[in-house]
């Protein structure tokens, strides 16, 4: 699979990872963990609105919202909650947030399920952690499909 099959923001992230050595890729993943936005107050106060991705080794929760007004119609917003002491999990969430937040449901649903493998981390990260990122993407796609009435 090439990055041409990916939305442009996600393709740029994948290209950045692919241009680096393995140690540099891990450092970049840590930078994405630091850039993951905090939850807005309306979600901080209502953890029941978040869904846990149980396949992740660290506790990760996520939800989506579809813009109705104030932004591009149908833009999907992603929200994640991951502990600071789980930088790999936060980094994966940061990659997905930066690469997918604000896209349409169709764009998100078109992302190949094996996209996490394109980051080139399979030798540097345990298979369980890679499975966690794949599960995060899968959960996002299922929630988007359910919210938009599209079958994934």
């Amino acid at each position: 699979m090439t990055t041409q099959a990916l939305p442009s923001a996600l393709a740029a992230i994948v290209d950045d990872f692919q241009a680096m050595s393995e140690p540099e890729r891990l450092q970049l993943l840590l930078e994405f963990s630091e850039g993951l936005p905090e939850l807005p107050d309306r979600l901080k106060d209502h953890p029941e609105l978040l869904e846990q991705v149980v396949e992740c080794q660290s506790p990760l929760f996520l939800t989506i919202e579809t813009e109705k007004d104030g932004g591009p119609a149908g833009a999907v917003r992603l929200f994640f909650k991951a502990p600071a002491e789980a930088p790999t999990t936060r980094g994966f969430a940061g990659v997905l947030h930066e690469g997918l937040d604000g896209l349409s449901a169709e764009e998100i649903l078109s992302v190949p399920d094996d996209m996490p493998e394109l980051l080139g981390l399979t030798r540097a990260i345990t298979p369980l952690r890679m499975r966690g990122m794949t599960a995060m993407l899968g959960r996002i796609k299922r929630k988007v499909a359910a919210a938009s009435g599209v079958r994934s």
Side-chain angles (χ1 to χ4, degrees):
M1 175 178 48
T2 68
T3 57
Q4 293 173 344
L6 301 174
S8 61
L10 191 57
I13 292 168
V14 169
D15 286 342
D16 288 347
F17 272 93
Q18 289 180 352
M20 298 180 163
S21 67
E22 246 173 50
E24 291 171 323
R25 289 176 187 160
L26 285 174
Q27 184 58 44
L28 183 57
L29 189 65
L30 293 179
E31 289 173 21
F32 274 101
S33 78
E34 295 164 3
L36 184 66
E38 292 295 317
L39 285 174
D41 288 340
R42 69 179 183 283
L43 293 175
K44 279 183 191 173
D45 297 337
H46 294 282
E48 72 279 3
L49 298 175
L50 301 170
E51 182 177 337
Q52 184 171 8
V53 180
V54 295
E55 296 88 346
C56 290
Q57 287 187 292
S58 301
L60 178 108
F61 298 84
L62 64 83
T63 194
I64 66 154
E65 293 176 356
T66 303
E67 299 252 336
K68 307 265 187 279
D69 47 54
V76 176
R77 296 292 170 196
L78 306 177
F79 301 95
F80 296 90
K81 179 182 177 192
E85 54 278 357
T88 303
T89 300
R90 280 184 66 84
F92 284 153
V95 165
L96 292 174
H97 183 269
E98 189 166 319
L100 302 177
D101 187 60
L103 298 180
S104 70
E106 293 76 23
E107 289 171 307
I108 291 173
L109 293 173
S110 73
V111 173
D113 294 338
D114 61 351
M115 181 285 303
E117 295 174 22
L118 290 177
L119 298 176
L121 294 166
T122 53
R123 290 200 327 242
I125 302 288
T126 67
L128 279 175
R129 292 211 183 271
M130 289 303 299
R131 194 175 91 210
M133 184 170 189
T134 301
M136 267 188 244
L137 176 60
R139 192 70 44 92
I140 290 166
K141 289 173 71 173
R142 280 192 296 281
K143 290 180 85 58
V144 167
S148 66
V150 176
R151 295 179 106 169
S152 58

